[in-house]
Amino acid sequence: MQNKILFGAAYYDEYMPYDRIETDFKMMKSAGMNTVRIAESTWSTLEPQEGEFDFTHIERMLSNAERFGIGVIVGTPTYAVPTWLVRKHPGVLAVTSCGRNLYGPRQNMDITDKNYLFYAERVIRKLMEYVSKRPCVIGYQIDNETKYYDTSGPEVQSSFIEYIKAKFPDIGDFNREFGLDYWSNRINSWEDFPDVRGTINGSLRAEFHKFRRGLVTDFFNWQIGIADEYRRPEQFITHNFDYSWNGFSHGMQSDVNQFRASERFTVAGTDIYHPSAGSLTGEEIAFGGALMRNLKPEVRNYLVLETQAQGNPGWLPYKGQLRLQAYSHIASGANSVMYWHWHSIHNAIESYWKGVLSHNLKENETYREACVIGRELEAIGGRIANLRKSPDIAVMVNNESLTGLSEFPIDKSCGYNDIVLWICGALYRLNAEYDVIPQESDAERLSKYKMIIAPAMYSATEESLSRLKAYVHEGGHLVMTFKSAFCDEYLKIYHDDQPHMLTECFGMTYDRFTDGKNVRLAATSFRADGTDVKYFTELLQPSSAKVLARYDTDAYGECAAVTANSYGAGRAVYIGCFFERDALMRLLKAECPEAGISLPDTSYPIVLRTGTNGFGNNIAYYMNYSGSTQSFTAQYGGTDILTGKKLSKGDSLTLEPWDLVIIEA
């Protein structure tokens, strides 16, 4: 457990236009910053030529960190390769679906290439030998936002064939499972296995993605094994997991199975970026926390290793937003808030991805607000670190469904992550806190939640469906959406009634669906009459289920859009289409009492986050996510730990724009 919140930024002496390292460390110390991240992208500086190592900048940063009492997270510099390595071994550049990569961008290498791994291990070991015994080094970050980078070269494909052979010793079973008779794609000899980059078979391509996600896990475990040889017991090993990207962090990352990849890290870490200014909602922060704290359930807390200070153009925070964002991370279970990066840089592709300091490297409004955060965290950090959260609701996800709905998309504007975030955004605005858990979760883990929501669980194993069915029968509350329980783990569509194995549980079935254009809801129990269907329409045929919503068109007869069914001691709700979020919020708000879940009286733009701190005391964060003053009634009594003011349950509270109050019971 940590005794404080780590607060700081990435710092690169190598990038500075002139020598100002002492000035920067003084400014960071004055801002209450206690941690810096270094080294992760500087291989060409650390090893300017093969076998020649230069730790000048590392030493400058470490010695100043020790002088100013600032902790250091050292990143392994393996996500951007030096020019000399590419000249000597061009094969380190990955062969992708577009051919051989050219030098220039980061993460252009083949993470399985033997030459890349040889030289990467050498620079990691040299760096570890230099830094591991320094008292200021508190932990290590393995690589950076690692993915498989579409590596598809001959060695990768050969390994993929061996992976398939191990799963399907009988090549006939492989052909049947993947439906390769279609368009004469059948493979009758392993030696005839074609280049997977050309396949038109979605199942085979999805399995290639799954295999390459495993390569990322292997790559992590290889680096962790090296770092473990050097790290002291008190030093952590982490990684900055990222998300899908839609101009900002957007749902699950498709190219890493983060639940499996995180197993050998001592603590999970993440990079979360989001819209700001007039578009700030906090939804991305909440989703990131709900996922990250469940990568390692035994640890629960996680590290925010990168988030924005000024960030991209359009992200410049309004007054108060930087502070609100910092506490939102902590209220989700984060034990750190660190900015990318300290200083705005003066060259290269991220010149306008602005840091805490602008290009003139002087104090500014962002820096001054960071000082406010730092001073507060110095005072109260021990009381808000190590927050434990126990939501009643879990959102179930899996990479296979994400891949499957990329192979067979519902609509170009409605992918898997859009459906997941449709659900999560509605929960967030109701102040219904949730965890994000994997489909593989066992029965014991499922039993901890009063409600489980499975959005678009397109690819579903029979084992997972059996667990969900038993969960409902034993008293659980399951909500599932369209495009769920549709195909197996290889994207082979089940050939019985949909949803597979769950028709009795949901008390309905369907065998027709369409795009949902020009369709509205009618006759609903959750005040959604006249609500537009935005995407997809499954025409549900109830048997024992109660109809919560129908479609408003005679063309589809009496088919239902949303149903609810009692099954055993539990309840199962099926949502057959994607409709407006306000209506979804009303549906979920109506279902929560059915599951025995009490929702707070307050809702967005007042965001309420709760948990238990390291001392066993209840903590409640009330945060105003709006540009106007908000008044509400406190549901919790205690002490405002920012001001020391005593509060009672039922007190009327007022928050200024983008402000917050933290109550410790």
PDB file of all heavy atoms in Angstrom, residues 324-337:
ATOM      1  N   LEU A 324     -10.078  19.006 -11.008  1.00  0.00           N
ATOM      2  CA  LEU A 324     -11.203  18.070 -11.009  1.00  0.00           C
ATOM      3  C   LEU A 324     -10.811  16.752 -11.650  1.00  0.00           C
ATOM      4  O   LEU A 324     -11.161  15.670 -11.154  1.00  0.00           O
ATOM      5  CB  LEU A 324     -12.384  18.693 -11.753  1.00  0.00           C
ATOM      6  CG  LEU A 324     -13.665  17.856 -11.840  1.00  0.00           C
ATOM      7  CD1 LEU A 324     -14.262  17.634 -10.465  1.00  0.00           C
ATOM      8  CD2 LEU A 324     -14.679  18.517 -12.761  1.00  0.00           C
ATOM      9  N   GLN A 325     -10.082  16.822 -12.762  1.00  0.00           N
ATOM     10  CA  GLN A 325      -9.634  15.607 -13.437  1.00  0.00           C
ATOM     11  C   GLN A 325      -8.723  14.779 -12.526  1.00  0.00           C
ATOM     12  O   GLN A 325      -8.844  13.547 -12.468  1.00  0.00           O
ATOM     13  CB  GLN A 325      -8.906  15.971 -14.726  1.00  0.00           C
ATOM     14  CG  GLN A 325      -9.817  16.567 -15.785  1.00  0.00           C
ATOM     15  CD  GLN A 325      -9.082  17.356 -16.853  1.00  0.00           C
ATOM     16  OE1 GLN A 325      -9.692  18.109 -17.610  1.00  0.00           O
ATOM     17  NE2 GLN A 325      -7.767  17.216 -16.914  1.00  0.00           N
ATOM     18  N   ALA A 326      -7.804  15.432 -11.832  1.00  0.00           N
ATOM     19  CA  ALA A 326      -6.879  14.710 -10.956  1.00  0.00           C
ATOM     20  C   ALA A 326      -7.646  13.931  -9.889  1.00  0.00           C
ATOM     21  O   ALA A 326      -7.399  12.733  -9.662  1.00  0.00           O
ATOM     22  CB  ALA A 326      -5.897  15.689 -10.309  1.00  0.00           C
ATOM     23  N   TYR A 327      -8.593  14.603  -9.234  1.00  0.00           N
ATOM     24  CA  TYR A 327      -9.348  13.916  -8.185  1.00  0.00           C
ATOM     25  C   TYR A 327     -10.296  12.862  -8.759  1.00  0.00           C
ATOM     26  O   TYR A 327     -10.608  11.875  -8.082  1.00  0.00           O
ATOM     27  CB  TYR A 327     -10.105  14.930  -7.332  1.00  0.00           C
ATOM     28  CG  TYR A 327      -9.206  15.648  -6.353  1.00  0.00           C
ATOM     29  CD1 TYR A 327      -8.890  16.990  -6.517  1.00  0.00           C
ATOM     30  CD2 TYR A 327      -8.653  14.970  -5.270  1.00  0.00           C
ATOM     31  CE1 TYR A 327      -8.054  17.651  -5.620  1.00  0.00           C
ATOM     32  CE2 TYR A 327      -7.817  15.614  -4.367  1.00  0.00           C
ATOM     33  CZ  TYR A 327      -7.517  16.957  -4.552  1.00  0.00           C
ATOM     34  OH  TYR A 327      -6.681  17.589  -3.656  1.00  0.00           O
ATOM     35  N   SER A 328     -10.723  13.030  -9.995  1.00  0.00           N
ATOM     36  CA  SER A 328     -11.567  12.012 -10.616  1.00  0.00           C
ATOM     37  C   SER A 328     -10.802  10.711 -10.804  1.00  0.00           C
ATOM     38  O   SER A 328     -11.355   9.622 -10.624  1.00  0.00           O
ATOM     39  CB  SER A 328     -12.103  12.522 -11.957  1.00  0.00           C
ATOM     40  OG  SER A 328     -12.955  13.627 -11.780  1.00  0.00           O
ATOM     41  N   HIS A 329      -9.529  10.812 -11.198  1.00  0.00           N
ATOM     42  CA  HIS A 329      -8.699   9.610 -11.293  1.00  0.00           C
ATOM     43  C   HIS A 329      -8.589   8.926  -9.925  1.00  0.00           C
ATOM     44  O   HIS A 329      -8.765   7.707  -9.805  1.00  0.00           O
ATOM     45  CB  HIS A 329      -7.302   9.967 -11.797  1.00  0.00           C
ATOM     46  CG  HIS A 329      -7.234  10.368 -13.233  1.00  0.00           C
ATOM     47  ND1 HIS A 329      -7.537   9.501 -14.263  1.00  0.00           N
ATOM     48  CD2 HIS A 329      -6.880  11.542 -13.823  1.00  0.00           C
ATOM     49  CE1 HIS A 329      -7.380  10.120 -15.424  1.00  0.00           C
ATOM     50  NE2 HIS A 329      -6.986  11.352 -15.184  1.00  0.00           N
ATOM     51  N   ILE A 330      -8.288   9.711  -8.914  1.00  0.00           N
ATOM     52  CA  ILE A 330      -8.092   9.149  -7.569  1.00  0.00           C
ATOM     53  C   ILE A 330      -9.398   8.555  -7.049  1.00  0.00           C
ATOM     54  O   ILE A 330      -9.399   7.488  -6.413  1.00  0.00           O
ATOM     55  CB  ILE A 330      -7.555  10.241  -6.625  1.00  0.00           C
ATOM     56  CG1 ILE A 330      -6.183  10.733  -7.120  1.00  0.00           C
ATOM     57  CG2 ILE A 330      -7.427   9.720  -5.200  1.00  0.00           C
ATOM     58  CD1 ILE A 330      -5.712  12.025  -6.484  1.00  0.00           C
ATOM     59  N   ALA A 331     -10.515   9.212  -7.349  1.00  0.00           N
ATOM     60  CA  ALA A 331     -11.821   8.710  -6.910  1.00  0.00           C
ATOM     61  C   ALA A 331     -12.208   7.416  -7.602  1.00  0.00           C
ATOM     62  O   ALA A 331     -13.104   6.704  -7.138  1.00  0.00           O
ATOM     63  CB  ALA A 331     -12.895   9.769  -7.163  1.00  0.00           C
ATOM     64  N   SER A 332     -11.538   7.104  -8.718  1.00  0.00           N
ATOM     65  CA  SER A 332     -11.774   5.831  -9.412  1.00  0.00           C
ATOM     66  C   SER A 332     -10.855   4.723  -8.924  1.00  0.00           C
ATOM     67  O   SER A 332     -10.979   3.583  -9.372  1.00  0.00           O
ATOM     68  CB  SER A 332     -11.586   6.025 -10.923  1.00  0.00           C
ATOM     69  OG  SER A 332     -12.639   6.794 -11.461  1.00  0.00           O
ATOM     70  N   GLY A 333      -9.920   5.055  -8.048  1.00  0.00           N
ATOM     71  CA  GLY A 333      -9.010   4.052  -7.495  1.00  0.00           C
ATOM     72  C   GLY A 333      -7.567   4.220  -7.888  1.00  0.00           C
ATOM     73  O   GLY A 333      -6.734   3.360  -7.578  1.00  0.00           O
ATOM     74  N   ALA A 334      -7.224   5.326  -8.581  1.00  0.00           N
ATOM     75  CA  ALA A 334      -5.835   5.553  -8.988  1.00  0.00           C
ATOM     76  C   ALA A 334      -5.001   5.981  -7.791  1.00  0.00           C
ATOM     77  O   ALA A 334      -5.464   6.738  -6.933  1.00  0.00           O
ATOM     78  CB  ALA A 334      -5.753   6.604 -10.083  1.00  0.00           C
ATOM     79  N   ASN A 335      -3.755   5.529  -7.764  1.00  0.00           N
ATOM     80  CA  ASN A 335      -2.799   5.946  -6.742  1.00  0.00           C
ATOM     81  C   ASN A 335      -1.759   6.903  -7.307  1.00  0.00           C
ATOM     82  O   ASN A 335      -0.749   7.167  -6.660  1.00  0.00           O
ATOM     83  CB  ASN A 335      -2.103   4.735  -6.114  1.00  0.00           C
ATOM     84  CG  ASN A 335      -2.806   4.260  -4.851  1.00  0.00           C
ATOM     85  OD1 ASN A 335      -3.666   4.951  -4.302  1.00  0.00           O
ATOM     86  ND2 ASN A 335      -2.459   3.069  -4.385  1.00  0.00           N
ATOM     87  N   SER A 336      -1.983   7.391  -8.523  1.00  0.00           N
ATOM     88  CA  SER A 336      -1.068   8.378  -9.089  1.00  0.00           C
ATOM     89  C   SER A 336      -1.795   9.214 -10.129  1.00  0.00           C
ATOM     90  O   SER A 336      -2.782   8.762 -10.724  1.00  0.00           O
ATOM     91  CB  SER A 336       0.160   7.711  -9.725  1.00  0.00           C
ATOM     92  OG  SER A 336      -0.175   7.118 -10.968  1.00  0.00           O
ATOM     93  N   VAL A 337      -1.282  10.410 -10.343  1.00  0.00           N
ATOM     94  CA  VAL A 337      -1.705  11.277 -11.446  1.00  0.00           C
ATOM     95  C   VAL A 337      -0.433  11.877 -12.022  1.00  0.00           C
ATOM     96  O   VAL A 337       0.268  12.630 -11.341  1.00  0.00           O
ATOM     97  CB  VAL A 337      -2.654  12.403 -10.979  1.00  0.00           C
ATOM     98  CG1 VAL A 337      -3.013  13.309 -12.157  1.00  0.00           C
ATOM     99  CG2 VAL A 337      -3.906  11.828 -10.338  1.00  0.00           C
TER     100      VAL A 337
END
